[in-house]
Amino acid sequence: MSTCIIAVKSVMMWSVAGMIPVCKIRFSVEKSSTDNVRIMTTGRIELGPTGRTVAANVKRLREARGLTLRGLSAELKERGRPLSADALNKIENGAQADGRAVRRVDVDDLAALSAAFGVGPLALLLPVDTEASTAVHVTGTQPVSAHSAWMWGTGEGPIEMPQERGTAASGRALYAAVSHYRLHGLPHWLAELQDAQHDQGARMAATEAVREAGGYIGPERYRPKRPGGSDG
């Protein structure tokens, strides 16, 4: 692709009367290649699946709070992230690919909107009105179950797991994926808290299983009851 660029050249010329040198401006048109130049355009914004989810959730949460576009705009202004009612309307337009003008939500918008709605960022980023097994679309991944998406979002594990199952190699791949997620995707204190909660949950489940089997919990170990109810 080529474009025309106007070049301005200064040319020294001599005046006829007095032979005094004067400077005149001569314009010339040159062509310059723009094949490797990125051109910023004002064309229609294309939103990905997560962008459309955010747009739909903005409208859902705004209506749940009983706010008009102007009301939400005022709320955001008080929080130091002013967005006009028109901008909010364009954000909500992104839920449908119908050719209307849309506006992207950047991360600062996302944080302010979440705070204004009284929810966490995941309530904007992920589909809410789904069943656990419903396939959902998250930008950058293949369709996954809503359960997998929310477990990923809440810090339980990666959104994509190794597909192979039942082999030593697949077990190592799964362990590596979860370990990487926990090491680099969570603050250490949250990972430690999750471990403690999981351990407590496992102990409670084991306790309930013993009780259902007719045993009781001793100070050091699980001891089943003898027939007739005698412990001795």
Side-chain angles (χ1 to χ4, degrees):
M1 179 178 67
S2 296
T3 187
C4 290
I5 299 177
I6 297 178
V8 180
K9 292 184 177 180
S10 176
V11 181
M12 294 299 296
M13 299 185 67
W14 295 89
S15 67
V16 176
M19 297 296 290
I20 300 174
V22 295
C23 181
K24 290 190 176 181
I25 304 298
R26 185 174 67 194
F27 292 91
S28 64
V29 177
E30 297 178 356
K31 283 192 174 182
S32 176
S33 174
T34 58
D35 292 339
N36 297 320
V37 178
R38 177 170 296 196
I39 299 175
M40 300 300 291
T41 66
T42 57
R44 184 172 179 275
I45 297 173
E46 293 294 335
L47 296 179
T50 299
R52 298 203 180 283
T53 297
V54 170
N57 280 329
V58 169
K59 183 175 183 178
R60 174 181 66 83
L61 291 166
R62 177 178 64 79
E63 292 177 344
R65 289 291 301 271
L67 292 170
T68 63
L69 290 169
R70 291 185 181 276
L72 178 55
S73 177
E75 172 76 15
L76 291 169
K77 184 177 180 179
E78 291 182 3
R79 293 177 177 274
R81 188 65 181 176
L83 288 174
S84 68
D86 181 63
L88 292 168
N89 184 54
K90 288 178 179 177
I91 287 173
E92 294 184 3
N93 285 347
Q96 302 295 331
D98 56 7
R100 290 182 292 178
V102 300
R103 183 188 185 280
R104 291 185 185 277
V105 174
D106 67 25
V107 290
D108 290 304
D109 297 337
L110 186 76
L113 285 164
S114 300
F117 291 139
V119 298
L122 289 183
L124 287 169
L125 287 168
L126 296 176
V128 174
D129 298 326
T130 65
E131 298 298 329
S133 59
T134 302
V136 299
H137 295 265
V138 177
T139 300
T141 72
Q142 296 296 319
V144 297
S145 69
H147 178 269
S148 295
W150 277 91
M151 290 298 98
W152 165 66
T154 55
E156 294 295 327
I159 193 170
E160 294 175 322
M161 294 290 194
Q163 297 299 312
E164 186 180 357
R165 292 287 191 275
T167 66
S170 65
R172 287 193 294 271
L174 178 61
Y175 177 81
V178 173
S179 297
H180 177 86
Y181 179 89
R182 290 172 59 79
L183 179 62
H184 300 287
L186 299 176
H188 72 90
W189 52 266
L190 181 56
E192 293 165 1
L193 179 61
Q194 287 181 346
D195 289 341
Q197 290 174 336
H198 291 164
D199 290 345
Q200 182 181 12
R203 287 194 295 270
M204 293 177 64
T207 299
E208 185 63 26
V210 171
R211 286 173 177 164
E212 289 181 356
Y216 73 97
I217 306 302
E220 298 178 354
R221 59 191 176 92
Y222 300 124
R223 293 183 291 179
K225 291 181 179 180
R226 291 184 178 183
S230 173
D231 299 331

